[in-house]
Amino acid sequence: MSSIREDYMAPWWTYWLHNFPHVNLNFQPIDNTFTPQDQNYQQSFIFLACMVAAGLGLNLLCLAIYLSCLCCCRKDEEESKSPNSCCVTWSAVTAGLLSCAAVGVGFYGNSETNDGVYQLTYSLYNTNHTLGGVDSLVTGTMGSMESGLKQHLARLDEIFATRGDYVQTLHFMQQMADNVIKQLLGLPDWDMTKVDLAAIADQITYIEYYRWLTYLLLLILDLVICLAACLGLAKQSRWLLTTMMVFGVLTLILSWASLGADLATAVSTSDFCVTPDKFIMNQTKDLISSEIVHYYLYCSQALPNPFQQSLTIFQRSLTTMQIQIQGLLQFAVPLFPSAERDLLGIQHLLNSSEASIHQLTALLDCRGLNKDYLDALIGVCYDGVEGLLYLCLFSILAICAFCAMLCAIPRAWTHITSRERDYDDIDEGDPFNPQARRMTTHNSNHATNMHSFCSYSSSVGSQSSLHPPAAQAAQAVSNAPVSEYMNQSALFGGNPRYENVPLIGRGSPPPSYSPSMRATYLSMTEDQIRHFGNDFQA
């Protein structure tokens, strides 16, 4: 039995994935119909995983060849400085842009896939609730008819034993009750399908949670690795670049693995989405009537309701029994007052059964289950497969980004090594070398301190020769002004002329230097300077 569906049409990307080559391990093309139990169909996805693994191996081989060529074929220093830095810069920019794009696409794809799976599980829960409600109503109505009604009729049969017409009415009501039970038994027993939709929904929810969490961690890992690699390039940190290179290789492998898993899942789901009705009909052909399954799958006004006849007979039987009970309450109760309790009990039971049949009619209507079915298809085939395609794109962008990063890090390492080697080769005697400048400044300060000490010594000697007592008193004051004088002399840039510098703590004007004193100072040898310096320190 076939029908044209107007309320559902598979999206174009499912047809594109459905036409993806399906090849078994013997390299023979197979039918792309969704048959997950078929061994050849399963082998087609194993073959697809092998193709992705081959792509990973080829990618790692290309990277190994690139690194080997980079290590073996070194350029001269003059030629390697500018090209390496430019190549590293553009490679880092490319890797950063691809990583940002991959993370953005990955977050969107992960969210879309999660939305599709949520829609599927929500529909499964609703369908399970509907089928459970049908089973509960059927079981409850049959139980009340078989036990409660029979007990009331048995007691009434004893009460009306002397009235044959009343006994005949009771037998007629028993026939009506048996007819109701027969019609209820004609309804499909959903428990016989041995499929617990709630358990399936729980399992799908459990798997989806860890799938979503895994991809979230993978996205965060990609972003952290990219940022850390950029930080390593900016700081020129070798250990950070080496660590990110190792993590980059591991993430590259994870990206290829996620690509294979997402692609296989998308292809198999698309095979289902193209012909979902056919798969469900094949799965339920031995459990439920094909007419009932077709009624719920298509829910067309042109299709007859397979439960309409049973529900109609059920309703008519209840109505007939209600009329009989009303007659007995009106004519038999005045004669047999003890029968009123059982008659009211039967009336209450028939009222509850009538309410149950209205609920059962609403639940068995195809519109509720068909809506859940369409919602599940839209969630899986639209949001779910679309999200998987975005996750495949994320994996491809992440692979390209990490390939660019793995190509940039070794060049950055070579560039950093070249700069350090060039810095170590600078001549210390070069006046433009900052280290040489620092050494020259240090020597100048040391010479300046020596000159100031000699000037001070000459001043003290001249004054002591002219005024011995005053000179001894000045010498006995303190050696502290000497250190302060030396510190202030260093602040004036090492200028040997200190006539204008006051001697702190002495309370006297600056000393005057005669030409003979200057001649004596200039004629001092290096040994004499070292001698006076040692005496001063002592």
Side-chain angles (χ1 to χ4, degrees), residues 77-125:
E77 294 183 6
E78 298 294 333
E79 299 178 356
S80 62
K81 291 181 181 178
S82 178
N84 282 343
S85 60
C86 181
C87 182
V88 169
T89 301
W90 283 107
S91 298
V93 170
T94 302
L97 293 177
L98 289 176
S99 297
C100 293
V103 170
V105 171
F107 272 111
Y108 179 76
N110 197 30
S111 177
E112 283 292 301
T113 304
N114 184 260
D115 292 342
V117 175
Y118 173 78
Q119 189 69 30
L120 171 63
T121 55
Y122 183 78
S123 299
L124 289 176
Y125 284 126

Side-chain angles (χ1 to χ4, degrees), residues 279-327:
F279 173 74
I280 295 177
M281 293 285 289
N282 292 332
Q283 294 295 314
T284 58
K285 62 182 179 179
D286 297 332
L287 303 173
I288 304 175
S289 172
S290 61
E291 182 183 2
I292 296 175
V293 177
H294 193 269
Y295 169 72
Y296 283 114
L297 291 180
Y298 293 97
C299 193
S300 175
Q301 294 181 355
L303 296 175
N305 187 346
F307 310 110
Q308 186 63 44
Q309 184 178 0
S310 299
L311 294 175
T312 301
I313 295 174
F314 188 6
Q315 180 67 44
R316 289 177 180 177
S317 299
L318 290 178
T319 303
T320 302
M321 295 171 68
Q322 288 277 15
I323 295 174
Q324 297 297 326
I325 291 298
Q326 289 292 337

Side-chain angles (χ1 to χ4, degrees), residues 96 102 175 215:
Q175 292 178 359
Y215 270 98

Side-chain angles (χ1 to χ4, degrees), residues 371-391:
K371 181 181 182 300
D372 294 334
Y373 175 62
L374 293 178
D375 290 342
L377 286 180
I378 293 174
V380 172
C381 301
Y382 280 82
D383 294 338
V385 178
E386 182 184 6
L388 290 174
L389 288 177
Y390 277 106
L391 288 178

Side-chain angles (χ1 to χ4, degrees), residues 156-171 327-328 330-336 339:
L156 289 174
D157 188 62
E158 295 177 358
I159 295 173
F160 297 150
T162 58
R163 294 293 300 266
D165 53 345
Y166 293 163
V167 173
Q168 186 178 1
T169 302
L170 295 177
H171 290 168
L328 292 175
Q330 183 178 0
F331 299 104
V333 170
L335 299 176
F336 304 95

Side-chain angles (χ1 to χ4, degrees), residues 59 102 251-252 255-257 259 394-404:
N59 189 4
T251 311
L252 181 65
S255 299
W256 276 101
L259 176 62
F394 151 71
S395 299
I396 294 173
L397 292 176
I399 290 170
C400 296
F402 284 106
C403 286

Side-chain angles (χ1 to χ4, degrees), residues 18-244:
H18 178 65
N19 295 326
F20 200 85
H22 292 63
V23 182
N24 59 12
L25 297 180
N26 296 325
F27 300 97
Q28 296 178 353
I30 63 172
D31 187 16
N32 55 4
T33 304
F34 184 70
T35 53
Q37 297 86 0
D38 188 23
Q39 186 176 2
N40 288 327
Y41 187 78
Q42 296 174 359
Q43 289 181 1
S44 64
F45 295 101
I46 297 176
F47 179 81
L48 185 62
C50 293
M51 294 296 295
V52 174
L56 172 61
L58 183 62
N59 189 4
L60 294 178
L61 180 62
C62 293
L63 288 175
I65 294 175
Y66 170 78
L67 295 177
S68 299
C69 295
L70 187 64
C71 293
C72 297
C73 304
R74 294 182 177 274
K75 299 180 181 180
D76 296 333
E77 294 183 6
E78 298 294 333
E79 299 178 356
S80 62
K81 291 181 181 178
S82 178
N84 282 343
S85 60
C86 181
C87 182
V88 169
T89 301
W90 283 107
S91 298
V93 170
T94 302
L97 293 177
L98 289 176
S99 297
C100 293
V103 170
V105 171
F107 272 111
Y108 179 76
N110 197 30
S111 177
E112 283 292 301
T113 304
N114 184 260
D115 292 342
V117 175
Y118 173 78
Q119 189 69 30
L120 171 63
T121 55
Y122 183 78
S123 299
L124 289 176
Y125 284 126
N126 282 344
T127 303
N128 185 76
H129 178 73
T130 301
L131 298 180
V134 171
D135 290 334
S136 177
L137 290 174
V138 171
T139 303
T141 304
M142 289 179 61
S144 62
M145 288 292 176
E146 290 178 347
S147 61
L149 183 61
K150 285 185 177 181
Q151 291 177 3
H152 289 298
L153 292 176
R155 286 194 294 266
L156 289 174
D157 188 62
E158 295 177 358
I159 295 173
F160 297 150
T162 58
R163 294 293 300 266
D165 53 345
Y166 293 163
V167 173
Q168 186 178 1
T169 302
L170 295 177
H171 290 168
F172 179 75
M173 292 179 61
Q174 182 63 49
Q175 292 178 359
M176 291 295 101
D178 294 338
N179 195 17
V180 169
I181 294 174
K182 181 180 178 181
Q183 299 304 320
L184 292 176
L185 290 174
L187 297 178
D189 187 3
W190 305 107
D191 291 337
M192 293 181 60
T193 58
K194 298 179 180 180
V195 177
D196 189 357
L197 297 180
I200 295 176
D202 291 338
Q203 186 177 6
I204 293 175
T205 303
Y206 178 80
I207 295 174
E208 170 59 20
Y209 171 75
Y210 285 101
R211 185 210 63 81
W212 175 84
L213 182 61
T214 300
Y215 270 98
L216 182 62
L217 295 177
L218 182 60
L219 291 169
I220 296 175
L221 179 63
D222 290 352
L223 188 60
V224 169
I225 290 176
C226 179
L227 294 178
C230 293
L231 180 62
L233 292 175
K235 295 291 186 179
Q236 296 185 357
S237 174
R238 289 186 176 183
W239 70 268
L240 186 57
L241 291 177
T242 304
T243 304
M244 291 305 103

Side-chain angles (χ1 to χ4, degrees), residues 414-484:
T414 304
H415 185 65
I416 294 172
T417 304
S418 177
R419 290 188 60 182
E420 291 180 353
R421 184 175 61 250
D422 294 342
Y423 185 79
D424 293 338
D425 291 341
I426 297 177
D427 187 9
E428 294 183 357
D430 189 359
F432 294 98
N433 184 9
Q435 185 175 0
R437 293 179 183 178
R438 288 193 296 269
M439 294 298 295
T440 304
T441 304
H442 175 72
N443 294 335
S444 175
N445 292 337
H446 180 71
T448 302
N449 293 335
M450 288 301 176
H451 293 167
S452 62
F453 171 71
C454 292
S455 302
Y456 177 74
S457 300
S458 300
S459 172
V460 171
S462 61
Q463 292 183 10
S464 61
S465 60
L466 296 175
H467 308 285
Q472 292 177 0
Q475 186 175 2
V477 172
S478 175
N479 286 332
V482 177
S483 61
E484 296 177 4

